[in-house]
Amino acid sequence: MRGNGQKFISGAEFIVSTLKFFCIDVEAEARLLQFIGLQRVLFRACLIYQNGFDVKGANDEPPLIGETNVFLIDGKATFKLRINQKAKVTSEQHDKKNFRIRISPVNYIHVQALTPVFKIMVRLDRPPKSKREAASC
């Protein structure tokens, strides 16, 4: 993952913001390229919990917005995504759960890639709620 919408805290975790876009670059392995040949294959990005279950947004809002469906061209694809604020998906609002993004072809169920585990926050520079409460005492 890359872009202003995410950051990595060394030795700790990835954090993704609901305020900014981030990109995920995907490159197919040689055996997948042999399997699909020159076909144009549509890939989809879905927000899931760390345990693999799909995330549902509030009021039927999609949890991910942006370029969630992208064609693989010359074995590569780039997703430009953002966590949908209207879907109300943050780690705080979901029992402090961690998330991942699953990248998979629309028509081939047995092939998928997963991002590293991450937390979702509104602002990247905001300390976790427990540290804010401790600082105010």
Side-chain angles (χ1 to χ4, degrees):
M1 293 193 307
R2 62 181 171 82
N4 293 334
Q6 60 86 31
K7 76 175 182 179
F8 178 70
I9 299 172
S10 182
E13 58 199 9
F14 272 107
I15 300 174
V16 173
S17 171
T18 61
L19 299 176
K20 296 183 180 180
F21 281 91
F22 59 94
C23 294
I24 299 175
D25 298 317
V26 177
E27 189 169 345
E29 294 179 350
R31 61 180 185 204
L32 176 62
L33 290 175
Q34 288 176 337
F35 178 70
I36 62 174
L38 297 175
Q39 299 176 44
R40 291 183 55 180
V41 179
L42 185 64
F43 278 73
R44 177 171 292 145
C46 298
L47 185 67
I48 61 173
Y49 292 108
Q50 182 176 358
N51 64 12
F53 289 106
D54 289 343
V55 174
K56 304 290 183 208
N59 302 321
D60 293 325
E61 289 284 339
L64 277 180
I65 56 176
E67 297 169 4
T68 58
N69 293 321
V70 176
F71 280 101
L72 189 70
I73 299 172
D74 294 330
K76 297 179 182 180
T78 297
F79 292 85
K80 186 176 180 182
L81 305 168
R82 195 177 89 197
I83 307 298
N84 187 355
Q85 287 183 308
K86 293 179 183 178
K88 300 191 184 304
V89 178
T90 64
S91 293
E92 280 292 321
Q93 294 168 321
H94 286 251
D95 299 322
K96 301 187 192 291
K97 290 184 180 172
N98 291 325
F99 300 88
R100 300 182 108 143
I101 294 177
R102 178 180 58 228
I103 307 289
S104 58
V106 174
N107 296 326
Y108 302 98
I109 297 172
H110 62 279
V111 178
Q112 70 176 7
L114 299 172
T115 64
V117 173
F118 58 86
K119 293 190 179 302
I120 300 174
M121 296 177 69
V122 176
R123 291 180 44 196
L124 295 178
D125 59 351
R126 173 188 262 173
K129 188 176 181 181
S130 59
K131 289 183 181 178
R132 286 195 316 261
E133 289 172 352
S136 66
C137 294

